[in-house]
Amino acid sequence: MPLYKNQTIKLYNSLSGEKEVFRPIHEGNVGMYVCGPTVYNLVHLGNCRTFISFDLIFRYLKHLDYKVRYVRNITDVGHIVDDEDEGEDKIGKKARLEQLEPMEVVQRYTVDFHQILELFNNLPPSIEPTATGHIIEQIEIIKKIIDNGLAYVVNGSVYFDVLKYNETHHYGILSGRNIDDMLANTRELAGQSEKKNPQDFALWKKAEPEHIMRWPSPWSDGFPGWHLECTAMSTKYLGNHFDIHGGGMDLKFPHHECEIAQNEACTGHTPVNYWMHANMLTLNGKKMSKSTGNNILPREIFTGNNAALSKAFSPAVARFFMLQAHYRSILDFSNDAILAAEKGFNRLMEALESTAEINPAKTSTLNIETWKQSCYDAMNDDFNSPILIANLFEGVRYINLLKESKETLTAEDLKTIEKTMNAFVFDVLGLADKNISNDQTEKLEGIVNMLITMRNEARANKDFALSDQIRDQLITLGIQLKDGKDGTTFSVN
């Protein structure tokens, strides 16, 4: 019998603002869509937290023997990602700056995204569609919305008619916003003159001459609006009505709100039963921002090549740190916090390794079944990973008591505690450390710094051949040196 038959999940539905019992549309099967990255730069640590959160949910559903179709897209279309449908295409901008084809930019940062999530031990999604691979589907959805009288064409662009939609539906149902308040607080902006009202959003934009990425459509050579791609890809692979749609809290409005509107305008009914949103990650109590320098990239954590941390930390420790907070809570990343997480992670791994030292007894003095169910209860309560981790440390306490012969377990109960610990630590939390250990990372850093010293000496002695040889050989190993006014630093690609 599948495990889900004996467990009842209650998850927080952003649509209702309450925890609800999870009942999939088709028993034993779950369809889940999560908004993926726009691939124009190295993946942000805050985005990683979102994907780790939904990896946890994916893993637990699979652990309960659900058959899960997890769809997570790649945004490679080069559209405008701005609430007002104006601004600069970020992929196109990067392509011009680096003198590359847009798809070179997309490929580079898609590869980086996959590598980072693999280091974090995320499972790959069941399907990973790209926005550029679904232009036809997006055009067909626009046609249906126009036919249903909820979109209009102006100068080759197509806009969703929010006010007309709101006559029969509720625009703002997910974010709790009121359309009258939105209109009253909206300042008329330059470039919005072709819209009927400022709240209308683009389904298709006619491409200006400088816009690199463009496709033919019945209305113009142009590109789809930001919100449309997820509507097209989620419904193509999960159907017009599916179980879970997830993403970062910042996507609730306007992105997810617009998705709901597009789906209802196209099909006549709501697309998703449960909307889930992961909260943000801050750094030293402040919002992460490249412009202010309050920012750290995942690889900088793994190599220790950053100003925010005292040492390098493995991806498994960084993942463990993130899972110590509930996915819906704001989490602050700091040196002290990840140092504490590392100590906890090591305690957990040491306990798991030491279970082989425990000898079974004829009787059990610990109630293992109650403890085991407490682990499930934590995850059944809106995937509460911090409570699960607290229960796992109760398991660590049990293991230590058993090692000291202060408590006893039968062979069957001993097998249960080992199986439960392994299932939740490795299968559900995904903490298997298949990466470079901290010790290995520190050794790598020491070796590279030694080579930097040798290179500096060679340069001082005007032995430029040796200096260049050291630099070039490090590059072939994926280690990039950067000379600055404060000395030479390195990064691992």
Side-chain angles (χ1 to χ4, degrees), residues 156-380:
S157 293
V158 185
Y159 294 99
F160 189 92
D161 194 333
V162 169
L163 286 183
K164 190 164 185 183
Y165 168 82
N166 202 58
E167 291 173 2
T168 52
H169 299 78
H170 180 190
Y171 183 77
I173 190 171
L174 179 64
S175 59
R177 303 188 183 208
N178 180 280
I179 189 68
D180 292 330
D181 293 339
M182 283 190 270
L183 288 170
N185 295 326
T186 301
R187 177 171 52 89
E188 189 67 30
L189 299 174
Q192 288 191 328
S193 57
E194 64 183 21
K195 294 183 183 182
K196 287 184 180 179
N197 76 81
Q199 298 304 323
D200 293 351
F201 56 89
L203 299 174
W204 187 267
K205 287 284 286 183
K206 180 180 179 180
E208 298 299 326
E210 67 272 12
H211 199 95
I212 305 172
M213 302 180 81
R214 59 177 66 212
W215 292 265
S217 80
W219 314 286
S220 65
D221 276 6
F223 52 95
W226 173 27
H227 316 299
L228 191 63
E229 60 176 278
C230 289
T231 295
M233 289 183 279
S234 62
T235 55
K236 172 160 183 164
Y237 297 107
L238 298 175
N240 290 334
H241 188 206
F242 57 96
D243 297 301
I244 297 172
H245 193 314
M249 195 75 76
D250 57 318
L251 297 180
K252 186 185 288 188
F253 187 89
H255 186 53
H256 290 161
E257 195 75 71
C258 294
E259 278 193 65
I260 292 174
Q262 289 168 161
N263 274 281
E264 291 188 346
C266 181
T267 66
H269 59 77
T270 188
V272 180
N273 283 354
Y274 306 94
W275 286 88
M276 302 182 69
H277 294 92
N279 217 323
M280 64 187 288
L281 186 70
T282 58
L283 177 61
N284 294 321
K286 297 178 182 178
K287 184 179 179 180
M288 287 197 185
S289 170
K290 289 180 184 176
S291 60
T292 63
N294 193 54
N295 187 52
I296 188 169
L297 294 171
R299 288 191 196 276
E300 294 173 338
I301 297 171
F302 310 153
T303 63
N305 189 25
N306 64 82
L309 303 177
S310 59
K311 53 176 283 191
F313 295 91
S314 74
V317 167
R319 181 184 177 98
F320 180 67
F321 163 77
M322 294 194 201
L323 293 175
Q324 284 183 307
H326 190 268
Y327 77 90
R328 286 194 290 114
S329 65
I330 294 174
L331 174 61
D332 188 51
F333 188 90
S334 69
N335 187 65
D336 289 345
I338 196 167
L339 277 170
E342 184 179 52
K343 289 178 182 177
F345 175 82
N346 290 337
R347 276 182 58 214
L348 196 57
M349 293 302 158
E350 287 164 8
L352 287 171
E353 290 173 4
S354 67
T355 53
E357 303 171 18
I358 301 169
N359 295 315
K362 292 182 179 180
T363 59
S364 294
T365 57
L366 296 169
N367 191 332
I368 296 304
E369 286 301 323
T370 299
W371 166 80
K372 174 183 173 181
Q373 186 56 45
S374 73
C375 294
Y376 281 98
D377 290 344
M379 288 301 291
N380 291 340

Side-chain angles (χ1 to χ4, degrees), residues 54-167:
F54 285 100
D55 183 63
L56 171 76
I57 293 166
F58 181 37
R59 284 172 173 273
Y60 186 59
L61 292 171
K62 285 168 64 72
H63 174 74
L64 292 184
D65 300 319
Y66 281 109
K67 184 179 180 181
V68 186
R69 177 175 287 178
Y70 174 22
V71 183
R72 187 187 67 215
N73 72 297
I74 294 288
T75 295
D76 63 344
V77 78
H79 53 56
I80 310 300
V81 287
D82 191 291
D83 295 3
E84 286 78 37
D85 301 311
E86 302 297 331
E88 193 162 15
D89 158 22
K90 293 184 178 181
I91 292 174
K93 179 181 178 181
K94 193 80 168 182
R96 282 192 294 273
L97 285 173
E98 300 190 10
Q99 296 185 322
L100 299 170
E101 281 291 328
M103 281 300 148
E104 286 183 85
V105 173
V106 165
Q107 178 69 9
R108 174 187 296 177
Y109 295 115
T110 300
V111 168
D112 169 76
F113 172 67
H114 288 152
Q115 288 175 342
I116 292 297
L117 289 197
E118 185 176 354
L119 287 170
F120 275 123
N121 204 32
N122 274 30
L123 298 174
S126 314
I127 303 173
E128 191 174 51
T130 63
T132 54
H134 296 78
I135 299 295
I136 292 172
E137 289 84 352
Q138 294 176 73
I139 289 173
E140 291 304 310
I141 289 172
I142 296 171
K143 288 179 181 178
K144 289 179 183 177
I145 296 174
I146 292 174
D147 290 344
N148 290 338
L150 292 170
Y152 56 92
V153 183
V154 181
N155 300 326
S157 293
V158 185
Y159 294 99
F160 189 92
D161 194 333
V162 169
L163 286 183
K164 190 164 185 183
Y165 168 82
N166 202 58
E167 291 173 2

Side-chain angles (χ1 to χ4, degrees), residues 351-352 354-368 371 392-419 421:
L352 287 171
S354 67
T355 53
E357 303 171 18
I358 301 169
N359 295 315
K362 292 182 179 180
T363 59
S364 294
T365 57
L366 296 169
N367 191 332
I368 296 304
W371 166 80
L392 292 175
F393 276 111
E394 183 67 4
V396 170
R397 188 176 73 84
Y398 289 170
I399 291 168
N400 291 333
L401 289 172
L402 293 165
K403 281 167 57 183
E404 297 166 5
S405 300
K406 293 180 180 178
E407 300 283 357
T408 59
L409 284 182
T410 63
E412 184 177 352
D413 281 347
L414 182 59
K415 186 177 180 180
T416 297
I417 196 171
E418 287 180 311
K419 185 177 179 181
M421 289 289 288

